[in-house]
Amino acid sequence: MVKRERLERALADATVDRVPVALWRHFPGDDQRYTDLARSIIDFQHDYNWDFVRAMPSRSFLVSDYGLSDVWRGDARGIREIDKRLVRRSLDWTELRPLAPDRGALAQQVACLQLVDKALQADATPLLQTIYSPLVQAAQLAGRQKMLRDLRLQPDRLRSGLMQLTESTLRFIAALATLESLAGIFLVIEYADYETLSEAEYAAIALPHIRNILAALPSHWWLTIAQVGGAAPMLGLIDELPIQALNWDAGTAGKALDEARNSFSSAICGGLSDEDLLLGTPSLLRSTIQTTVRQCKGRRLILSGSGCGYTSTPLSNIRAVRSAVESPA
């Protein structure tokens, strides 16, 4: 069974030869040069033969050309720290303009994906580009606390900025439409969390821009996975979006995967926490995978981690995940 068929059948609740599986990670340092990032993504896929590839540039790649300055200081997840932000006053939101996808960091990521696309065509491996939601981009530009303060005190100004960030994202996505291997996007949604915002706040400020992005995806793309973070994520709200799979840390959210599979319209992408992948053992991971596959009856499930992964995850654990789906019983 080829990868696309396996994924599409899993999404449609049909029988598959085995559960689809994919892990991913950042490549700090390499993510500053498109050729190095492409090589790292290709090598990671070559080593483990995942059912899809998630391309993960630096978290700030969608907004770095606004003048951000960031550096990797050894964060275990490969995330760069932002030293210089753009938005200091609420009026700064109204001065944002869309970025051009043929310049700067966006052009570099287009070039990276062109190299990855060429490498993946041989065995038709689906490719997903990581996209950070406009509200996540806003938090990168202003800082979390500043963004949340403006959301409540200056919502119209923040909305103005979010409109420009959405347009910038749409232009970048349009520049990817001709890539043969690209199957869709991996949409990172943050702050859709009851401990951070109310559902009404998120639905009014952030959700319209996410809907605009999803509505504009090329018609031939067939796989959109949404990743939700936080201790109390708004899973029901996100599941109403036109997505094919939902990724989150089920242990944190307190909803078992087998329960979620029955209550969500989308398939489940998950089953393994990033912490278990980092700190566990191959035998523990194999046991977890067996339990997860049995609970979900091997259907409507893409086995994966729950976040952005750790750069120091033991290779033996990664190998164990990949081999476990071949003989899960």
Side-chain angles (χ1 to χ4, degrees):
M1 189 174 288
V2 298
K3 294 168 182 173
R4 175 167 180 170
E5 180 186 7
R6 181 178 297 117
L7 285 162
E8 288 185 324
R9 289 182 65 84
L11 296 172
D13 199 14
T15 57
V16 291
D17 58 342
R18 64 163 175 80
V19 172
V21 60
L23 296 180
W24 46 76
R25 51 162 290 189
H26 281 290
F27 296 96
D30 295 340
D31 59 14
Q32 300 303 289
R33 297 167 299 278
Y34 78 90
T35 52
D36 287 338
L37 178 58
R39 178 63 182 271
S40 295
I41 293 171
I42 293 166
D43 287 350
F44 191 63
Q45 174 62 14
H46 178 269
D47 289 344
Y48 300 106
N49 193 27
W50 307 116
D51 285 298
F52 70 84
V53 170
R54 176 185 174 186
M56 295 180 65
S58 166
R59 271 179 60 94
S60 61
F61 86 100
L62 283 168
V63 294
S64 62
D65 288 331
Y66 284 113
L68 293 188
S69 173
D70 60 11
V71 63
W72 183 55
R73 293 191 171 93
D75 179 84
R77 298 164 297 170
I79 296 175
R80 300 172 66 83
E81 295 180 20
I82 298 176
D83 289 335
K84 177 186 175 185
R85 301 187 189 273
L86 181 76
V87 175
R88 296 178 178 84
R89 307 169 303 148
S90 60
L91 276 174
D92 291 339
W93 295 117
T94 67
E95 298 176 1
L96 294 180
R97 296 296 180 267
L99 298 171
D102 59 351
R103 301 175 188 171
L106 297 185
Q108 294 285 304
Q109 186 56 23
V110 172
C112 171
L113 289 178
Q114 289 171 339
L115 294 175
V116 176
D117 171 59
K118 184 176 180 180
L120 297 183
Q121 288 179 20
D123 63 352
T125 299
L127 172 64
L128 299 185
Q129 168 61 40
T130 300
I131 295 291
Y132 295 93
S133 73
L135 196 65
V136 176
Q137 296 177 47
Q140 293 168 348
L141 288 173
R144 181 180 186 274
Q145 294 305 318
K146 170 65 175 169
M147 181 275 291
L148 291 175
R149 183 166 61 251
D150 286 348
L151 183 148
R152 292 185 169 114
L153 300 179
Q154 297 288 348
D156 289 340
R157 291 178 179 178
L158 177 58
R159 282 192 184 96
S160 175
L162 291 174
M163 289 178 62
Q164 302 304 314
L165 295 172
T166 300
E167 177 60 27
S168 183
T169 304
L170 292 176
R171 293 182 184 185
F172 171 69
I173 289 173
L176 309 178
T178 61
L179 297 181
E180 182 176 321
S181 301
L182 204 61
I185 63 173
F186 199 105
L187 181 63
V188 178
I189 298 174
E190 297 175 2
Y191 310 109
D193 172 41
Y194 291 109
E195 293 189 356
T196 304
L197 295 171
S198 70
E199 193 167 301
E201 287 175 320
Y202 194 86
I205 298 293
L207 208 56
H209 304 286
I210 291 175
R211 291 190 180 278
N212 288 342
I213 289 172
L214 295 176
L217 297 180
S219 59
H220 63 279
W221 288 2
W222 53 274
L223 180 57
T224 299
I225 300 176
Q227 182 181 79
V228 187
M234 302 174 189
L235 297 175
L237 186 69
I238 303 306
D239 186 55
E240 295 175 359
L241 296 171
I243 60 175
Q244 282 70 55
L246 185 59
N247 175 256
W248 85 101
D249 188 342
T252 300
K255 181 184 279 288
L257 285 182
D258 56 339
E259 176 189 351
R261 197 176 68 94
N262 295 324
S263 59
F264 294 155
S265 59
S266 57
I268 303 304
C269 180
L272 300 168
S273 75
D274 287 349
E275 285 67 29
D276 285 346
L277 288 166
L278 175 67
L279 302 174
T281 63
S283 59
L284 176 62
L285 289 168
R286 281 191 288 266
S287 177
T288 300
I289 291 168
Q290 290 172 5
T291 300
T292 298
V293 172
R294 184 169 56 252
Q295 287 178 341
C296 295
K297 300 180 175 61
R299 302 166 78 110
R300 293 182 62 213
L301 172 67
I302 301 172
L303 187 70
S304 76
S306 60
C308 61
Y310 286 97
T311 61
S312 55
T313 296
L315 299 185
S316 57
N317 286 354
I318 298 176
R319 289 192 293 266
V321 172
R322 182 60 187 84
S323 63
V325 298
E326 302 292 348
S327 54

